[in-house]
Amino acid sequence: MVQDVAPERPSSSAKDEAVERRAAARGLRFAVCGLWVTAEPSAAVLEQITERIETGRLKVTVKGTYPLAEAAAAHRELEKKRTNGKIVLVP
């Protein structure tokens, strides 16, 4: 009897290693910290981003600014998941 068997799914560590390789190829460092996943750009990537901002090739849309004292209101806005742009806290 021939039985179809689904391919074995890679373990989470194998998935993490694959993601780490893809991130490294883009100049990022990938790290899993408990429930959080972070990707930290390298100095070279940050320089490219800075150059694009300074030359106007990268534009950031700001949805709104909030005083630091209204951080809770800014967070509520983010929780709506309807923001089209960044929320900025100002001192």
Side-chain angles (χ1 to χ4, degrees), residues 9-26 28-39:
R9 299 183 85 177
S11 68
S12 62
S13 62
K15 287 180 189 176
D16 291 347
E17 289 172 12
V19 171
E20 286 176 25
R21 284 192 302 275
R22 287 196 310 270
R26 292 173 174 80
L28 299 171
R29 186 170 61 94
F30 172 83
V32 177
C33 305
L35 297 175
W36 300 99
V37 176
T38 63

Side-chain angles (χ1 to χ4, degrees), residues 4-76:
D4 288 334
V5 178
E8 191 174 307
R9 299 183 85 177
S11 68
S12 62
S13 62
K15 287 180 189 176
D16 291 347
E17 289 172 12
V19 171
E20 286 176 25
R21 284 192 302 275
R22 287 196 310 270
R26 292 173 174 80
L28 299 171
R29 186 170 61 94
F30 172 83
V32 177
C33 305
L35 297 175
W36 300 99
V37 176
T38 63
E40 299 174 7
S42 66
V45 170
L46 291 174
E47 287 176 16
Q48 290 174 354
I49 292 170
T50 300
E51 185 268 332
R52 289 177 181 163
I53 291 170
E54 289 173 347
T55 60
R57 291 183 5 220
L58 177 66
K59 298 186 184 200
V60 178
T61 302
V62 176
K63 166 72 174 178
T65 59
Y66 290 81
L68 191 54
E70 295 178 22
H75 197 271
R76 283 191 297 276

